[in-house]
Amino acid sequence: IVFPIEWTTHKTMLDLMGYGMFAVSIVGFVLKLNAGEGGDAFFQTSLQQLSQYWMNAFILVGQSSFWFATLLQYGLPWIIYPALLVIVNDTMAYVFGFSMGKNPLLPQISPKKTWEGFVGAALSTLLLAKPLLGVCKIDVISLQHALVIAAFISFVSPFGGYLASVTKRAHGAKDFGTLIPGHGGVVDRLDCQVMTAPFMYFFLKHIMTTTTTA
């Protein structure tokens, strides 16, 4: 696939702007440290806050950049399709976990997650991989490719959510925010996309290139 020169130019500018913002944040943070009260305790607290901000930025900005690239290069259906699979996986993990869950999956990290929910969600996601292709009007990949995407979302993507759970527990918080009653904030709804968005971009890049050169 050959992309227009305009896209390459815009991407380069976006990368440069992103790094510029990162560099400015580092400079500002160091100046803030110097203007503060000083001492080991102050520096430790400041670094903990910085790590939390970067985690949020990693979840939001990092995956958004891959969404943006996927949208421009492959189209909106490739944003909707994995998002629907993630929703199916999240929903069925809750359903199977609530109705059948007995064996904790990661009790030290997320006590309510169970093996029954994890396996039930994976089977449901794999079963719906092909039907959801039709819903999204995607006909350029094989069933095998769809199952690979569903398997990744079932067995790997949830660990983005588990990492977010560790972050919340480390700070004594139940959720990252309160924007959505009962579900936390925006970051809480996007944690699995930390793993999914980059995978979708690189996987599509691979299979589309392979299809084009075949």
Side-chain angles (χ1 to χ4, degrees):
I1 298 176
V2 178
F3 301 109
I5 187 67
E6 291 83 1
W7 157 246
T8 304
T9 302
H10 291 329
K11 184 178 185 301
T12 302
M13 285 299 297
L14 287 172
D15 289 342
L16 183 59
M17 290 171 60
Y19 176 75
M21 293 172 64
F22 169 77
V24 169
S25 69
I26 292 296
V27 173
F29 178 71
V30 173
L31 292 176
K32 179 183 176 182
L33 288 179
N34 185 67
E37 61 190 44
D40 292 346
F42 171 73
F43 291 147
Q44 289 175 1
T45 301
S46 298
L47 288 172
Q48 288 174 354
Q49 292 175 347
L50 179 65
S51 65
Q52 184 175 2
Y53 296 149
W54 277 358
M55 176 64 73
N56 288 341
F58 173 70
I59 294 174
L60 288 173
V61 180
Q63 66 189 1
S64 297
S65 65
F66 283 103
W67 279 346
F68 185 65
T70 300
L71 177 63
L72 288 181
Q73 296 183 42
Y74 304 110
L76 183 60
W78 287 111
I79 302 294
I80 297 175
Y81 180 64
L84 290 177
L85 288 176
V86 168
I87 291 172
V88 168
N89 192 264
D90 281 348
T91 302
M92 298 313 295
Y94 173 80
V95 171
F96 279 96
F98 181 79
S99 61
M100 304 170 56
K102 294 182 179 179
N103 300 288
L105 178 63
L106 298 169
Q108 299 300 323
I109 295 174
S110 189
K112 293 184 179 180
K113 305 293 184 184
T114 64
W115 277 104
E116 291 80 3
F118 186 76
V119 173
L123 293 175
S124 302
T125 306
L126 289 168
L127 287 173
L128 289 174
K130 184 177 181 180
L132 287 177
L133 284 177
V135 171
C136 297
K137 302 186 185 303
I138 295 173
D139 58 3
V140 295
I141 65 170
S142 65
L143 174 60
Q144 179 182 0
H145 288 144
L147 291 176
V148 170
I149 294 171
F152 184 91
I153 288 174
S154 297
F155 298 111
V156 180
S157 292
F159 284 84
Y162 304 150
L163 176 61
S165 294
V166 171
T167 304
K168 288 182 283 190
R169 290 175 68 87
H171 291 86
K174 182 178 183 294
D175 298 305
F176 281 115
T178 58
L179 181 63
I180 309 172
H183 294 276
V186 174
V187 177
D188 294 283
R189 297 302 91 208
L190 299 178
D191 47 18
C192 288
Q193 294 291 348
V194 170
M195 309 291 283
T196 306
F199 169 77
M200 284 304 304
Y201 175 76
F202 291 122
F203 185 70
L204 287 172
K205 186 175 182 179
H206 168 70
I207 63 175
M208 296 302 183
T209 301
T210 303
T211 301
T212 302
T213 57

